Amino acid sequence: AKGKRGVAGRPRPRQQHALIADKGPHNLMLFLTTLYNFRVVHCGLIYDFVRRFLGRLEGIDIELLLLVLRQCGWRMREDDPAALKQIVILTRERAKAMEEAAKRQGGEAEVRAVEGQQPQAQSHVRIRVLLDMIFDLKNNKRRSSSSGPANSVDRRSQPLWAWLRANFAEEVGRGSSELQVGLEDFLNISTRGRWWLTGAAWAKADEEGRKLEQRVRNEMDSATSSSDLMYLAQEMRMNTALRRSIFCVIMGANDYLDAFEKLDRLKLTGSKAREIVRVLAHCCSSESSFNPYYGFLAGKLCGSHRAHKFTLQLVYWDLFKRWSEVPERRVVNMACLAAHLIASFSMSLSIFKVVEFERLEDIAVKFFYTVFRKVLAAKDSVIISMFERISDKFELEPLRDGIWYFFQQYLLVKPKKSQSMSQEKKMEKKIERAKLRRAIKIALKAMKQTGKG
């Protein structure tokens, strides 16, 4: 009897394991949503799971969807409202399809209800709750009942949240360190590569790059040695097949129009298209002296696609962050390229809005000195148009002040007198300075900075 009481006094192991197995998916999803709330993973991964649950929408899927929406629904709405709108449409379609299927199978459902089984009724109640929660998110409507478990979890995590903000203030809250992978990256490791290992990801992309490289070889003119260009591309550290292909097109073209047409035929999109401008900037900066060919090609690219213009802006902003790491020759070439694009209205002076002109390194002074000397050498009408583009925007006032400061400190400063200079040379310098002062006066008037002195 004592043995029986001992056995009867504790739950059976089989029941205990069954309970753990039933809660396994819930605990895993709760763990994943917690990682998302702490900005470890990106919202795209959560949305991928939501779409997969809606695709099947069985009992366990509905429970997991309710759990996700309770734990992080409002954060998902803040991070990607467009994706939430798609989820609302998909949920409405799936619910309508299930209602129609339930009507067609009404007789079978009545038989199951008589036998004591009511899965359809339970599913309908859960789907109705799911629809209410999703529509509340869509309409930004918070119910009083939603302030229960989710907020209690938030309260329990407040100390950890505060510690993360105190120790990682720059990363936490802005999503800079989020893991940018989706569910497909986990499910298709065999084709997309082991993304968590350096150099092992995106094997398929490399294969596509090699095919692109071969297509470029076939399109090269017979007069051009593609093998020599490929060798030169490797010497220039073009470390992917895509970059080597773009390099061969740019360097093997007859002129900038020919290069533009061949680059357009590559049909590159997204991140691949951004490589065009980066390779062009690398080639331009590597020349012994500035070649206007790159300026005309860059202007054509900026005029054809806005994405190229934005990528070029990012290239310059990267340069502004690492002046000391870039050789002087590259800096001067990039300055000449910027002057060419600004004077041809392919790029605006607003690209310099991130620069603090009051605190410039010596190499940065040389960059802007080259840019403004070339820009101010243009015709009066061109100078007016260039500087008028930044005259009316309130947010560009610091830029206008910075340009005025640079003019006063580096362009209008009187040069030191040289006894060895001939009288003719002195006269040329004097005329040149007079033209420069006149051009600066026109530019300041166009920028509406004439009142400063």
Side-chain angles (χ1 to χ4, degrees):
K2 184 176 180 181
K4 291 181 180 179
R5 283 196 301 272
V7 172
R10 66 176 184 269
R12 290 179 297 174
R14 184 172 300 175
Q15 291 179 343
Q16 199 172 27
H17 290 311
L19 178 63
I20 295 174
D22 291 340
K23 293 298 181 182
H26 300 75
N27 291 336
L28 289 174
M29 188 52 58
L30 182 61
F31 174 69
L32 185 62
T33 54
T34 304
L35 291 178
Y36 169 59
N37 283 330
F38 281 97
R39 298 298 188 187
V40 178
V41 297
H42 190 254
C43 67
L45 179 61
I46 307 298
Y47 274 117
D48 287 344
F49 274 101
V50 171
R51 293 186 188 95
R52 183 157 291 239
F53 295 152
L54 287 174
R56 192 173 58 175
L57 210 60
E58 295 181 358
I60 184 65
D61 300 310
I62 299 174
E63 290 183 11
L64 294 177
L65 280 170
L66 293 173
L67 185 148
V68 169
L69 294 178
R70 289 193 188 100
Q71 294 298 322
C72 58
W74 293 102
R75 190 178 293 279
M76 292 168 63
R77 184 183 189 276
E78 293 174 1
D79 289 347
D80 195 348
L84 179 64
K85 185 177 180 181
Q86 296 176 356
I87 294 299
V88 171
I89 297 173
L90 181 59
T91 305
R92 186 182 294 143
E93 293 176 352
R94 292 289 296 133
K96 184 177 180 181
M98 291 187 67
E99 288 180 1
E100 293 177 354
K103 290 179 181 178
R104 290 195 299 267
Q105 300 175 356
E108 298 180 5
E110 292 178 2
V111 172
R112 286 196 296 271
V114 171
E115 294 177 353
Q117 303 174 0
Q118 297 179 341
Q120 289 289 342
Q122 293 179 0
S123 297
H124 287 167
V125 172
R126 290 174 177 173
I127 290 176
R128 179 53 54 190
V129 173
L130 176 64
L131 286 172
D132 291 342
M133 292 185 68
I134 290 181
F135 287 141
D136 287 346
L137 286 175
K138 174 179 176 291
N139 299 323
N140 198 19
K141 180 181 178 182
R142 295 179 183 265
R143 296 175 180 264
S144 58
S145 60
S146 65
S147 60
N151 280 358
S152 63
V153 171
D154 288 341
R155 285 194 296 271
R156 291 195 299 268
S157 63
Q158 283 301 323
L160 178 58
W161 217 185
W163 180 83
L164 286 172
R165 287 186 180 277
N167 291 274
F168 304 97
E170 295 183 357
E171 289 81 6
V172 174
R174 73 180 187 186
S176 60
S177 59
E178 292 178 355
L179 187 62
Q180 301 280 344
V181 292
L183 183 58
E184 294 297 323
D185 296 320
F186 290 95
L187 300 178
N188 299 321
I189 292 173
S190 59
T191 57
R192 295 194 176 187
R194 295 175 292 175
W195 47 267
W196 63 91
L197 296 179
T198 303
W202 311 115
K204 185 177 180 181
D206 290 340
E207 182 180 352
E208 293 177 353
R210 286 191 291 270
K211 292 180 179 178
L212 175 65
E213 188 175 19
Q214 186 58 42
R215 191 164 75 246
V216 170
R217 287 177 182 267
N218 296 335
E219 290 184 0
M220 296 289 287
D221 296 336
S222 57
T224 305
S225 176
S226 59
S227 59
D228 292 343
L229 285 176
M230 286 296 178
Y231 176 77
L232 182 59
Q234 294 177 354
E235 290 292 317
M236 295 281 288
R237 298 181 181 179
M238 300 294 156
N239 51 5
T240 64
L242 175 63
R243 290 173 66 86
R244 288 192 293 271
S245 301
I246 296 172
F247 176 86
C248 290
V249 170
I250 293 176
M251 302 304 294
N254 297 326
D255 52 27
Y256 79 95
L257 292 176
D258 182 42
F260 174 78
E261 292 175 0
K262 289 180 178 178
L263 289 171
D264 191 53
R265 284 202 297 266
L266 294 181
K267 302 296 182 184
L268 301 179
T269 57
S271 60
K272 294 180 180 178
R274 289 195 288 270
E275 291 295 325
I276 295 177
V277 173
R278 296 190 180 277
V279 172
L280 185 149
H282 183 83
C283 294
C284 176
S285 62
S286 300
E287 295 281 356
S288 57
S289 60
F290 176 68
N291 188 343
Y293 164 76
Y294 300 107
F296 288 110
L297 178 56
K300 188 71 175 176
L301 290 170
C302 292
S304 63
H305 297 289
R306 187 176 181 85
H308 291 318
K309 187 175 182 178
F310 180 70
T311 304
L312 188 61
Q313 175 178 289
L314 296 181
V315 169
Y316 275 102
W317 287 1
D318 290 340
L319 174 64
F320 300 158
K321 294 177 183 178
R322 51 186 186 91
W323 290 114
S324 58
E325 303 175 12
V326 184
E328 181 178 334
R329 172 174 53 84
R330 290 179 177 270
V331 170
V332 172
N333 284 345
M334 292 299 291
C336 294
L337 177 63
H340 180 102
L341 293 174
I342 292 171
S344 61
F345 303 102
S346 299
M347 195 167 65
S348 171
L349 285 166
S350 61
I351 195 175
F352 302 142
K353 62 185 178 182
V354 297
V355 177
E356 296 183 13
F357 286 93
E358 295 81 5
R359 294 184 293 178
L360 291 178
E361 301 177 27
D362 292 340
I363 189 67
V365 171
K366 186 156 192 172
F367 175 90
F368 289 107
Y369 185 87
T370 304
V371 170
F372 287 122
R373 284 300 298 262
K374 289 185 174 294
V375 163
L376 294 171
K379 296 180 180 179
D380 294 352
S381 59
V382 176
I383 295 175
I384 293 173
S385 299
M386 284 188 291
F387 286 87
E388 276 184 344
R389 296 176 74 181
I390 62 171
S391 62
D392 296 329
K393 296 182 180 179
F394 175 77
E395 62 272 17
L396 295 181
E397 185 175 358
L399 171 61
R400 295 192 291 270
D401 293 341
I403 293 176
W404 175 87
Y405 177 84
F406 188 88
F407 286 171
Q408 300 296 324
Q409 291 294 319
Y410 301 104
L411 293 183
L412 293 177
V413 62
K414 293 183 179 180
K416 296 181 180 179
K417 294 183 178 180
S418 176
Q419 301 295 335
S420 59
M421 188 179 298
S422 64
Q423 195 67 26
E424 183 180 354
K425 196 71 174 177
K426 288 180 180 179
M427 184 58 65
E428 290 179 1
K429 287 287 184 181
K430 190 173 182 179
I431 295 174
E432 183 180 350
R433 280 185 50 77
K435 290 181 178 179
L436 179 61
R437 283 196 300 269
R438 180 177 177 277
I440 290 176
K441 186 175 180 180
I442 294 173
L444 292 177
K445 186 176 180 180
M447 276 198 311
K448 300 178 182 178
Q449 298 286 100
T450 54
K452 298 198 172 187

